Amino acid sequence: MFSSENPSMLRGMDQSPFPYHGPLQPEQVTGREQLALDLAQRITDRRLTALVGPRRYGKTSLLKRVAADLQSVGPQPVWIDLYQMTSMADVAGAVDRGLDCVAGPVRRILDSVAATLSVNIGVLRFQLARSPTRRPDPALSLRTLLTVLVSAAQRHELFIIFDEFSGIANVEGGAGVLRTELQHNFQSFGIVFAGSEPSTMRTLFSEQTQPFFAQADLVEIGPLPDDAVHRIIEDGFADTDRNAGGIARHIVEFAGGHPQRTMQLTDALWRLVEPGETANQENWENALATVRTNVDSGSEHIYSLLPTGQKKTLRAVATGGSIFGAAASMLDLPPGTASDAAEKLLGNGFLQRNPQGLSVVDPLLADWLRRRFPF
Ligand SMILES: Nc1ncnc2c1ncn2[C@@H]1O[C@H](COP(=O)(O)OP(=O)(O)OP(=O)(O)O)[C@@H](O)[C@H]1O
Ligand SMILES: [Mg+2]
């Protein structure tokens, strides 16, 4: 029976204000106001932009927010998700899905333009999934869909978000088709590319052979500022009749502004605090223990897949040592190996560079390394 005398039952019904799986709803995105305004302005000004940042730093959430903000005043977003593309048919299917998600008057424009080019939005991706002899040509289909987009943009203000854009790098000729179709038309709509694989994104946006993409400005999404994290935690607790006490500062310190880890730790803490109560030190220690239990085996697994030089370098950085200092020599890490490995780890998103030097992107991986390999 649900009653106010049964707080644990009621607590089970409360929805956590700290979601940490997948993108947030636009209205849940806070602490990124300046970046959101900057991106909206860039889209409005039709400045080609690439939003880059580590995994799970909130790129998709932020762009969903920007898309919703802009859509509320007119321009129509077209969201194209290129996650893990492996073929031209995949890319054409992703564009079809993006167009298929558009509703209302802009959808009618898209459909009427598509009809003049003999394609059916929302159907094409199923046709592309047929066997190669029975399906339309994928590259041609992709070109046609992009032509639909370009033509529709003459009739209604549009902007395109290519999320997980680094996925295009796995598709031979994929970036080339996008470039050919978009490079002469990108003044007619805003485009944002987002991605988290630093070395792939850098290659896509700087290579001499990619003249169109190289025009994009790279905009970084960094950690959440400390004051934003304090606000998110304190407001989420207060809105659900709890008090975060002084525990927010432990989360700020532990997670270093990593958005998803901040939310995961805060969610675990929140689940231990009854309505009407204030979080205490013991709650924090238990929350951290729970999250460690959930995450440690994943950390161990991804660490085990790294080559030895990168393992040692990651350990040296996690324990706060310089990759050329005493920590490195204890690990038998020669300077040449250390700099090569650091470049690789920066490229694959394990490490990031900040004013203090190198740091491990994922605070829970760093924490696991420090516990697993204490000096
Ligand atoms: N502005 C924010 N405030 C608080 N938490 C956030 C914010 N943005 C993202 N998060 C947290 O990070 C998680 C991941 O967000 P999101 O999926 O948008 O990141 P991403 O950078 O697109 O990740 P991926 O690299 O996996 O695509 C969210 O579930 C949420 O917990
Ligand atoms: Mg994302």
Side-chain angles (χ1 to χ4, degrees):
M1 195 181 64
F2 304 139
S3 78
S4 53
E5 289 99 287
N6 190 343
S8 63
M9 192 72 98
L10 284 178
R11 185 167 43 122
M13 294 172 67
D14 256 0
Q15 205 175 348
S16 166
F18 307 106
Y20 63 92
H21 292 296
L24 300 176
Q25 297 298 316
E27 64 281 3
Q28 293 175 314
V29 176
T30 56
R32 299 274 194 210
E33 288 73 18
Q34 204 46 50
L35 194 49
L37 282 175
D38 179 43
L39 289 166
Q41 192 63 54
R42 287 169 166 282
I43 291 170
T44 311
D45 296 346
R46 319 258 205 266
R47 281 148 70 196
L48 216 52
T49 300
L51 179 67
V52 290
R55 284 229 81 86
R56 298 188 282 186
Y57 253 45
K59 300 173 294 300
T60 303
S61 302
L62 174 63
L63 287 170
K64 294 255 182 217
R65 171 65 190 260
V66 171
D69 288 351
L70 282 172
Q71 189 169 14
S72 70
V73 293
Q76 170 70 46
V78 178
W79 189 281
I80 299 174
D81 185 348
L82 299 178
Y83 181 67
Q84 298 278 321
M85 297 284 108
T86 60
S87 66
M88 197 68 90
D90 268 356
V91 180
V95 178
D96 182 54
R97 199 172 294 110
L99 295 179
D100 196 19
C101 287
V102 176
V106 182
R107 176 55 184 264
R108 287 194 282 284
I109 296 174
L110 289 168
D111 281 336
S112 76
V113 178
T116 65
L117 297 169
S118 305
V119 285
N120 252 326
I121 294 168
V123 175
L124 190 63
R125 62 182 182 280
F126 299 104
Q127 296 170 333
L128 286 163
R130 293 183 193 148
S131 68
T133 50
R134 295 180 53 239
R135 70 182 185 191
D137 178 70
L140 197 61
S141 303
L142 176 57
R143 287 208 173 89
T144 309
L145 289 174
L146 294 170
T147 307
V148 170
L149 253 179
V150 169
S151 309
Q154 313 298 324
R155 292 168 53 186
H156 192 285
E157 197 174 355
L158 295 179
F159 58 98
I160 314 176
I161 292 171
F162 287 101
D163 199 9
E164 301 283 352
F165 187 67
S166 32
I168 200 75
N170 304 321
V171 178
E172 203 183 328
V177 174
L178 292 185
R179 181 179 66 235
T180 315
E181 297 305 318
L182 299 177
Q183 67 186 348
H184 300 303
N185 298 296
F186 75 92
Q187 265 89 5
S188 31
F189 40 72
I191 304 181
V192 179
F193 306 94
S196 41
E197 289 167 35
S199 62
T200 313
M201 289 296 279
R202 219 175 302 122
T203 310
L204 279 166
F205 289 98
S206 56
E207 257 182 21
Q208 295 303 311
T209 52
Q210 305 280 9
F212 165 60
F213 299 114
Q215 293 174 56
D217 296 328
L218 295 192
V219 172
E220 302 262 348
I221 183 167
L224 285 169
D226 291 359
D227 59 339
V229 175
H230 274 282
R231 221 174 320 119
I232 290 165
I233 298 174
E234 279 146 22
D235 290 354
F237 269 75
D239 291 348
T240 50
D241 187 30
R242 291 160 173 85
N243 190 322
I247 301 302
R249 77 187 142 78
H250 292 300
I251 297 176
V252 166
E253 197 183 314
F254 185 95
H258 184 299
Q260 190 268 345
R261 293 311 197 191
T262 298
M263 295 291 263
Q264 185 173 15
L265 288 159
T266 312
D267 173 79
L269 176 71
W270 179 87
R271 287 176 190 284
L272 297 173
V273 180
E274 301 281 350
E277 287 187 356
T278 299
N280 59 35
Q281 184 67 27
E282 192 188 341
N283 296 144
W284 162 240
E285 282 159 19
N286 288 334
L288 181 55
T290 304
V291 174
R292 281 172 167 161
T293 306
N294 292 336
V295 166
D296 278 356
S297 63
S299 299
E300 184 165 6
H301 181 66
I302 55 171
Y303 178 76
S304 73
L305 298 175
L306 291 172
T308 308
Q310 292 184 43
K311 280 186 176 135
K312 291 181 179 184
T313 305
L314 204 54
R315 272 178 65 179
V317 175
T319 48
S322 155
I323 60 169
F324 306 116
S329 74
M330 233 175 114
L331 289 164
D332 263 341
L333 179 63
T337 311
S339 17
D340 285 354
E343 276 316 307
K344 295 258 164 44
L345 290 163
L346 287 163
N348 57 24
F350 278 89
L351 290 183
Q352 63 190 342
R353 228 187 271 285
N354 45 35
Q356 295 76 43
L358 295 173
S359 66
V360 179
V361 169
D362 180 351
L364 279 156
L365 175 62
D367 169 70
W368 175 79
L369 286 163
R370 285 190 294 271
R371 283 180 291 121
R372 179 69 185 74
F373 303 107
F375 280 110

